[in-house]
Amino acid sequence: MPSQTDDRAKVTDEEALEFHARGKPGKLEINATKPMATQRDLSLAYSPGVAAPVKAIAEDPDKAYDYTSKGNMVAVISNGTAILGLGDLGALASKPVMEGKSVLFKRFADIDSVDLEVDTSDPEAFINCVKYLGPAFGGINLEDIKAPDSFIIEQQLKELMDIPVFHDDQHGTAIIAAAGLINALEIAGKDIKDVKVAVSGAGSSALAVIGLIKAMGLPHENAILCDREGVIYKGRDEKMDQWRSAHAVNTDKRTLAEAMEGADVAIGLSVAGAFTQDMIKSMAKDPIIFAMANPTPEISPEEVHAVRDDAIMATGRSDYPNQVNNVLGFPYIFRGALDARARTINEEMKIACAKALAELAREDVPDEVAAAYGKRLQFGREYIIPTPFDPRLVTHIPPAVAKAAMDTGVARRPIKDMEAYKATLQTRLDPSASFLQKVYGSVRASAMKRIVFAEGEDDTVIRAAYAFQSQGLGQAILIGREDRVQRQLDHLGIPANPDIEIWNARASSHNKEYTEYLYARQQRRGMLYRDCERLVNNDRNVFGACMLAMDHADGMVTGVTRHYNVAFENVKLAIDPKPGERVIGLSAILARGRAIFMADTTITEMPTSHQLADIAVQAAHAVRQLGFNPRVAFLSYSNFGNPLTEYSERVSIAVKELDSREDIDFEYEGEMTPRMALNEEHRRIYPFSRLTGAANVLIAPGIHSGSVATKLMSEAGGAIVIGPLLIGMEKPVQIVQTGGKVVDVVTLAAMSAYDLDRAHRDWAEKH
């Protein structure tokens, strides 16, 4: 199956193991969707209340979709006989992959999923186990099962069960490849009924691809399938089975090279190097080459373009244009199938998915996708397949799949209002998962930034610097003693990376320059020259801040080994706030599909009304820079003057100050409680409220409440909290919470490279 990951985001085994072991082991947990706080709640959820839906479902089985999670629940099932490219490692070893698949269902289509690992390599035993699971799930996703067992298992389960059964390793790849082929043929000016196709590979994915494009109109005799033995032709006896025989053709060609002579399309799902440049040269005009072997394609785009300037190329890799990525398919196919309560996923639904993907690639690409990939994508030879993080996928693909289910009579619940359905799909988007992707994509696509990792001898920081550079996020600079850093690299088992710079603060040739710069700033603030010299030599935060001030680096991250306020004071010795701007701490809270931002959570202890207004402006512009439309709520323990106290009035005056400013370009309201800010239903009792939706930027009345709230959300509420992000300094500096993990350091290093102040700077220049 083509890669579903970013090939540039290389990770070490240690990082992967630490990621899976951190906190709760694994990647999944179960959360109740109903309140469970009181005895009455428990009585409704279980005995005696649960008897009512039990009887209703016994009378009408379709009521299970109304009273249980069945309609939004998919089982991801494997026996581990073909785990990724690792082979047969057993059912238990497949569990991390199946958990990961479940996470992708949730991330991209808001489908709940559980993984089931069946400990048998006997297809009949596997079928006998799974066939009884229909009542529990709305669909079955089969994964990592070796061929030909996978064909037998899927076919029999589809016949035995009345819910969708889908082997993604086969059909996911086929659907995305078919979508790309539709557009490639359009660009090349060719008709699927006329083209000649050569296929390298006869495994489950290759057979599914050729089967689907034949269903879309490719004549049977126009496709030549090749395996290790050569061309699969009628009359061949060696290593044939019923699935290969179905694609045998009458031909005198016997090798892949012969099959590719004059071919319009070459599809590879085999091994690296299967296609040669001579084979590519022999193809027809405007050849279409889909080299999808993973992780190394049958031939690289560079090799193809060296001999053909008219080729249209796709691979399974994300570091080349036109990635055939299964995540474009399976979440949305199941979303549409579940919502129509389909009994199966048939060929018409797969073709509908492929056509919808192809159509989407021809539409104008939204700004958030362009920002994430660092360029404006436009339909053409290098953009024939949508990108995995295109937010339009969830509103375009499921309706097409659901309509096909309805048209072919397999939908139990036809969708009457398709436009309303599309609107509900829009609400399933998870903003918390997409904004970090935008940041990372933008950083990768921009000119490489040099980021200082100030605590360069710390294990966590070294690992973070390695991860940062390995992911293509920028140039990492560790501040530390070379011998100490190298020993730590060896101890951590991190491969030598000559591209990571190491600067020794004590031995740097820039020390005199930095000392004089610091002394010029601090000589009238009680510091002697030797004090500045000592700080530059011994304090890595000061040294790193001087690097930024002298333009020897573009950004900095610190804080793992020091308290936040101590690190901030160190940095301020060398770097000032931007003129006319206020320094604030902005915390991002990611929870239950929401991304909420809170400010100020770290700098101004008890802001005045004027300061609160400034904090709101600065925070709103930073949030807009992250890709959100800011809706600001000024928080208090009161709602619009009830009760009116000295503290709530301070917040109310801040709102009035924004009312008096003519340059405000975002929604805001207050003062109000968090409940009122985040819950539209509660806010209805105040019809004059100017917020058009739930607030996503919360302005805390002081850092006490802001800091306490974010830490409570992180520790007790299960939220992911990023930051506080430091905004308003002359140079990009981010400070991690003391004891931060590798992922925290990498994220804030990326934020340092991203330049969160850009939107506010543009606004300030305009006004």
Side-chain angles (χ1 to χ4, degrees):
M1 181 176 69
S3 171
Q4 293 177 349
T5 60
D6 191 327
D7 299 289
R8 294 166 294 183
K10 299 182 179 71
V11 297
T12 64
D13 287 351
E14 182 187 48
E15 287 177 302
L17 293 172
E18 190 273 337
F19 173 86
H20 283 82
R22 184 170 66 236
K24 291 183 178 180
K27 300 184 283 281
L28 297 172
E29 67 175 4
I30 294 175
N31 284 310
T33 60
K34 302 295 187 293
M36 296 290 161
T38 67
Q39 180 61 47
R40 179 173 176 77
D41 293 338
L42 296 177
S43 297
L44 288 167
Y46 198 55
S47 181
V50 75
V54 166
K55 289 184 286 187
I57 293 168
E59 292 176 6
D60 179 1
D62 279 350
K63 292 294 184 182
Y65 290 94
D66 299 324
Y67 299 131
T68 76
S69 61
K70 176 182 172 71
N72 197 51
M73 182 69 71
V74 168
V76 178
I77 309 180
S78 178
N79 62 2
T81 53
I83 304 174
L84 301 177
L86 303 173
D88 185 351
L89 299 181
L92 184 58
S94 73
K95 186 171 177 61
V97 183
M98 300 310 114
E99 285 188 357
K101 191 82 170 193
S102 295
V103 169
L104 294 178
F105 269 115
K106 189 65 177 177
R107 159 65 179 88
F108 288 100
D110 193 28
I111 293 173
D112 296 318
S113 175
V114 296
D115 60 293
L116 299 174
E117 292 72 36
V118 181
D119 194 12
T120 179
S121 57
D122 178 0
E124 289 304 318
F126 187 97
I127 293 165
N128 198 47
C129 171
V130 176
K131 71 180 183 181
Y132 295 112
L133 300 177
F137 301 101
I140 303 290
N141 183 97
L142 300 173
E143 195 82 13
D144 288 356
I145 302 170
K146 69 180 181 180
D149 295 357
S150 56
F151 303 132
I152 299 168
I153 289 169
E154 184 191 40
Q155 185 58 42
Q156 290 197 26
L157 286 176
K158 287 180 74 170
E159 293 172 1
L160 292 167
M161 305 181 77
D162 66 346
I163 58 174
V165 178
F166 185 83
H167 187 207
D168 184 50
D169 297 322
Q170 296 177 54
H171 308 298
T173 302
I175 290 165
I176 314 310
L181 182 61
I182 291 170
N183 282 337
L185 291 171
E186 171 75 18
I187 292 167
K190 299 181 180 182
D191 192 311
I192 195 169
K193 295 177 182 177
D194 302 324
V195 296
K196 295 179 180 179
V197 179
V199 182
S200 174
S204 59
S205 295
L207 292 172
V209 170
I210 199 66
L212 186 60
I213 62 177
K214 284 181 179 179
M216 291 169 55
L218 179 74
H220 172 77
E221 62 275 10
N222 284 19
I224 297 179
L225 196 67
C226 303
D227 60 11
R228 290 188 181 93
E229 309 305 314
V231 171
I232 294 173
Y233 59 91
K234 286 188 175 180
R236 195 183 100 170
D237 297 322
E238 300 86 359
K239 295 189 177 179
M240 293 292 285
D241 55 39
Q242 67 189 81
W243 297 281
R244 284 177 168 85
S245 296
H247 297 287
V249 294
N250 287 313
T251 179
D252 56 0
K253 296 183 178 184
R254 293 295 181 264
T255 67
L256 176 62
E258 292 173 353
M260 288 183 66
E261 289 178 11
D264 299 282
V265 180
I267 294 173
L269 280 159
S270 53
V271 294
F275 295 157
T276 67
Q277 288 182 315
D278 286 340
M279 293 178 186
I280 302 302
K281 286 180 184 178
S282 73
M283 294 181 69
K285 184 178 182 294
D286 292 314
I288 298 165
I289 301 116
F290 283 16
M292 297 177 283
N294 182 38
T296 307
E298 286 79 2
I299 190 169
S300 71
E302 292 89 347
E303 292 172 304
V304 169
H305 295 313
V307 296
R308 297 293 298 256
D309 60 5
D310 59 342
I312 301 171
M313 182 86 186
T315 71
R317 293 174 57 117
S318 63
D319 50 351
Y320 291 122
N322 300 326
Q323 183 194 15
V324 178
N325 189 327
N326 287 25
V327 83
L328 290 166
F330 70 84
Y332 312 110
I333 294 166
F334 270 98
R335 181 74 274 158
L338 291 174
D339 293 338
R341 296 185 187 172
R343 294 182 175 86
T344 187
I345 294 174
N346 55 31
E347 291 299 295
E348 291 83 356
M349 294 163 73
K350 297 172 196 172
I351 293 171
C353 179
K355 288 182 176 179
L357 282 167
E359 291 167 2
L360 185 60
R362 301 181 195 185
E363 295 185 8
D364 183 53
V365 177
D367 290 341
E368 55 265 42
V369 176
Y373 287 85
K375 59 182 178 181
R376 174 62 65 180
L377 300 171
Q378 187 173 10
F379 179 63
R381 290 174 182 265
E382 293 198 344
Y383 180 61
I384 59 174
I385 305 171
T387 59
F389 291 95
D390 191 323
R392 300 171 298 171
L393 288 163
V394 77
T395 56
H396 277 62
I397 311 307
V401 174
K403 185 176 185 302
M406 292 155 52
D407 292 344
T408 55
V410 299
R412 288 188 183 88
R413 188 184 66 174
I415 296 170
K416 297 178 181 178
D417 188 338
M418 198 59 72
E419 291 305 313
Y421 174 52
K422 290 178 182 178
T424 64
L425 289 170
Q426 186 68 38
T427 66
R428 291 186 179 275
L429 280 175
D430 184 354
S432 67
S434 59
F435 96 87
L436 281 180
Q437 177 65 26
K438 175 185 177 179
V439 170
Y440 278 46
S442 178
V443 169
R444 286 193 186 101
S446 63
M448 181 174 286
K449 301 290 179 63
R450 293 166 53 79
I451 305 299
V452 172
F453 291 74
E455 299 146 306
E457 294 179 7
D458 179 80
D459 289 3
T460 297
V461 175
I462 290 172
R463 290 165 56 209
Y466 175 80
F468 178 83
Q469 184 133 333
S470 297
Q471 293 178 43
L473 295 170
Q475 171 66 57
I477 304 171
L478 290 167
I479 300 179
R481 291 161 287 188
E482 293 89 343
D483 57 335
R484 292 282 186 94
V485 174
Q486 192 55 56
R487 278 203 300 272
Q488 291 301 96
L489 285 167
D490 294 341
H491 171 70
L492 294 169
I494 294 176
N497 190 333
D499 295 330
I500 295 179
E501 296 181 21
I502 302 173
W503 285 44
N504 187 333
R506 184 175 288 277
S508 172
S509 60
H510 295 285
N511 280 21
K512 188 173 187 301
E513 178 185 6
Y514 293 171
T515 299
E516 290 176 352
Y517 165 77
L518 193 63
Y519 183 56
R521 289 174 53 85
Q522 301 298 333
Q523 60 189 350
R524 295 183 181 276
R525 299 176 185 174
M527 281 195 187
L528 302 175
Y529 185 89
R530 63 173 178 267
D531 297 327
C532 296
E533 188 174 40
R534 176 179 52 79
L535 284 170
V536 169
N537 287 340
N538 298 321
D539 193 304
R540 291 169 188 162
N541 285 332
V542 173
F543 183 88
C546 287
M547 287 180 68
L548 264 65
M550 305 306 289
D551 293 326
H552 294 156
D554 301 302
M556 173 175 159
V557 62
T558 187
V560 173
T561 63
R562 295 192 186 183
H563 288 299
Y564 193 102
N565 62 320
V566 174
F568 184 51
E569 292 301 322
N570 294 154
V571 168
K572 286 198 300 181
L573 293 173
I575 300 175
D576 289 325
K578 283 190 180 76
E581 295 193 17
R582 189 171 303 284
V583 179
I584 67 170
L586 177 71
S587 295
I589 304 167
L590 313 182
R592 296 185 178 276
R594 278 185 175 184
I596 301 168
F597 299 86
M598 182 171 282
D600 175 11
T601 55
T602 190
I603 302 298
T604 306
E605 183 174 10
M606 188 61 71
T608 64
S609 298
H610 177 73
Q611 289 172 330
L612 284 171
D614 286 347
I615 289 168
V617 172
Q618 197 105 358
H621 292 157
V623 168
R624 179 171 287 144
Q625 181 68 31
L626 289 169
F628 297 86
N629 181 31
R631 290 187 295 273
V632 176
F634 287 82
L635 297 187
S636 178
Y637 58 86
S638 62
N639 288 306
F640 303 111
N642 182 21
L644 182 63
T645 67
E646 176 186 349
Y647 294 104
S648 63
E649 188 175 22
R650 176 170 54 88
V651 180
S652 178
I653 292 172
V655 177
K656 292 175 182 176
E657 175 161 338
L658 285 191
D659 290 342
S660 68
R661 298 187 186 183
E662 297 180 355
D663 51 8
I664 303 304
D665 57 354
F666 55 87
E667 292 181 23
Y668 62 92
E669 189 56 281
E671 87 285 4
M672 59 177 61
T673 63
R675 187 184 192 190
M676 200 64 64
L678 300 174
N679 191 312
E680 294 186 58
E681 187 173 332
H682 286 290
R683 207 168 50 253
R684 286 175 187 163
I685 63 172
Y686 298 104
F688 55 83
S689 172
R690 292 173 287 198
L691 295 182
T692 60
N696 56 7
V697 183
L698 308 179
I699 306 303
I703 64 171
H704 301 87
S705 54
S707 180
V708 167
T710 54
K711 287 179 172 62
L712 272 174
M713 286 294 293
S714 175
E715 297 301 323
I720 297 172
V721 176
I722 298 173
L725 307 173
L726 193 58
I727 296 171
M729 297 293 285
E730 277 192 329
K731 300 287 184 178
V733 177
Q734 295 298 337
I735 302 173
V736 182
Q737 295 289 311
T738 308
K741 305 297 184 183
V742 171
V743 65
D744 304 320
V745 181
V746 173
T747 298
L748 289 200
M751 290 292 181
S752 181
Y754 183 63
D755 189 5
L756 275 169
D757 290 301
R758 187 166 58 221
H760 184 74
R761 190 165 57 247
D762 294 344
W763 172 86
E765 290 174 359
K766 188 183 298 182
H767 295 93

